[in-house]
Amino acid sequence: MKHRIVILGAGYAGAFAAGNLARRLAPADTEVTVVNAAPHFVERMRLHQLAIGQDVKFRNLADVFAGTGVRLRLARVTGVDPERKTVAVTGEDGDGELAYDTLLYALGSSVADHGVPGVAEYAFDVTGRSSALRLRERLAYLGEGAAVLVVGEGLTGIETATEFAESRPDLSVALAARGELGAWLSPKARRHLRRAFDRLGVSVHEHTGIEAVEPTRAIAADGRSIPADVTVWSAGFAVHPIAAASGLEVAETGQILVDRTMRSLSHPDVYAAGDCAYAIGENGRPLPMSCASAGFTNMQATAAIIARLTGSEVPTVGLKYYGNHISLGRRDAIFQMVDGDVLSKSWYLGGRPAAWFKTGVLKGAGFGIAHPTFGMPKRKRRLATEPDRAGVRAAA
Ligand SMILES: Cc1cc2nc3c(=O)[nH]c(=O)nc-3n(C[C@H](O)[C@H](O)[C@H](O)COP(=O)(O)OP(=O)(O)OC[C@H]3O[C@@H](n4cnc5c(N)ncnc54)[C@H](O)[C@@H]3O)c2cc1C
C-alpha cells in the first residue's frame, strides 16, 4: 500500500509543497494529493490590483499540476479527524472523505473582522478572490468623488489605499489607522510613505479605531462619522476554525502549534505551513503571516516529511524574516529591512527601484507556482522501511 500524503490548500505554501513532494518521492510507494476549494491558484498578493479593475490572471491548478504526479481534488475541506487520519470534504460530487498517512495543513487565512458590527454585512475585503471580485464590481459602479475608506494601516491596507488612489484618481480614498501611519517604519521610510500618500491624494485618519460599519459610513471609537460609499476592511488576517475544531493543538490565533520542523505538537502525522502555522522564527518570535513565511515553512515541512519517510536526517531550513516590501501603486514601493527583533533598520529602498524589485518578487512567486517542480532535485527517493524510520526517530 502506498503512503498517502494529503495537502490541504493549494496556495503559496501548499502548491509548492505538493510539487516538491511529488518530484522527490518515488511514485512507486507514495501518493501525493492536494485538496483545494477553487480550481485556480490565487495570487493573493495581487488581489488589491484585481479589486481595482486591473487584469490579473489566475492559473488553472489542473494545468499547474499536469505531469507532476500530484493528484488534484477540487473540494472544500470541512473537517479533519486526526485520530482516524481522515479529512472531510464537500465538492461537486457531494460529501466525501480522504484518508491520509501524512497530512500537510496549508489552508491559509481570510479576513479578520474582530467582531466589529457591520463588517460582515457592509464591508468589503481583498483577502480572497471572490471577495476581491465582489469589491471590483462595486467599485466599477462608483462615480466621481465617491468615498472609499480603507480600514487598517498594515501592509495590505497601505497597498490597497495607494493602489486604488493611483488607478482611480476620480475616487476620494481615505485610510483609517488605529495609530500613526507607518509608525513601525524607519523615519526615512515613513517620510517616503507620507509623501506617497500626499502625491496620490489619500487622506489619513490617524488614531482612529473603527467600531462600526454602516452602508454609507464608518463610525470611529470617539463617535466621529466617516463617510464611506465603500468600506474596505483590512484590519488583519484570521485562520480557518477547522484546525481548532479538529482537536489539533492550536495557539490563541487558531494557528496550528508546530515544532521547528513544522510538525504538529499534538499529532506527529500532521504538518502545517503558511498562514495557518504558528511557526517560531530564528529570533524566537512567531513568523508573520506572509508569502515569505509560507515559503520558509513549506520548505521546512516538505524537507522534514521527505527525511522522515526516507529515513534520513531532517535538514533545517532558515526561518528568518528580513523585511517588509510594500507596493505604493505600480510605480512606487518601500522595501524596509528589519533586524532580529523585527525593528526597522534605518536603511530602506524606495521609489522605482523598490517597485521593480517588488514586481520581480511577484513574478518569481507566479513562476514558481506555474512550475511547482522547477529546480527541485529529480532523484525520486524510495521510502525507508519502518525499522529505518524508527531509527531516525530515535536519533532525533
Ligand atoms: C491583498 C494582499 C496583498 C498581500 N501582499 C503580500 C506581500 O506583498 N508580501 C507578502 O509576503 N505577503 C502578502 N500577502 C499575504 C500572503 O498573500 C499570504 O500570507 C499568503 O497567501 C499565505 O500563503 P498560504 O499558502 O498560507 O495561504 P493561501 O495563499 O491563502 O492559500 C490557501 C489555499 O487554501 C485554499 N482553501 C482555503 N480554505 C479552504 C477549504 N476549506 N477547503 C479547500 N481549500 C481551501 C484557498 O483556496 C487557497 O488556495 C498579501 C495578502 C493579500 C490579501
Side-chain angles (χ1 to χ4, degrees), residues 12 16 43 45-46 59 356-371:
Y12 290 103
F16 279 118
E43 277 192 67
M45 290 195 286
R46 292 187 190 272
R59 287 182 182 83
W356 289 327
F357 185 18
K358 174 96 192 202
T359 305
V361 168
L362 291 175
K363 282 189 175 158
F367 178 87
I369 293 301
H371 308 86

Side-chain angles (χ1 to χ4, degrees), residues 8-15 35-38 40-49 61 75-78 106-109 126-128 155-156 159-160 237 240 242 273-276 288-294 321 325-327 358 362:
L8 306 184
Y12 290 103
V35 187
N36 202 67
H40 26 247
F41 175 77
V42 175
E43 277 192 67
R44 285 179 74 197
M45 290 195 286
R46 292 187 190 272
L47 286 178
H48 54 307
Q49 295 176 243
L61 285 171
R76 177 163 293 282
V77 176
T78 54
L107 290 180
S109 63
V126 293
T127 60
L155 308 183
T156 311
E159 290 200 337
T160 302
F237 297 151
H240 210 292
I242 288 176
D275 285 357
C276 57
M289 290 189 193
S290 71
C291 193
S293 306
Y321 199 63
H325 208 159
I326 320 158
S327 66
K358 174 96 192 202
L362 291 175

Side-chain angles (χ1 to χ4, degrees), residues 356-391:
W356 289 327
F357 185 18
K358 174 96 192 202
T359 305
V361 168
L362 291 175
K363 282 189 175 158
F367 178 87
I369 293 301
H371 308 86
T373 54
F374 183 79
M376 309 283 176
K378 275 190 194 144
R379 195 162 62 91
K380 301 273 192 196
R381 297 179 63 181
R382 299 300 304 258
L383 297 206
T385 57
E386 186 45 40
D388 284 349
R389 283 191 233 160

Side-chain angles (χ1 to χ4, degrees), residues 28 44 68 110 114 140 152 180 198 229 278 309 352 365-366 388-389:
R44 285 179 74 197
T68 61
S110 59
H114 303 296
E180 273 175 38
D198 288 347
D229 297 299
Y278 191 81
L309 290 179
R352 277 197 190 255
D388 284 349
R389 283 191 233 160

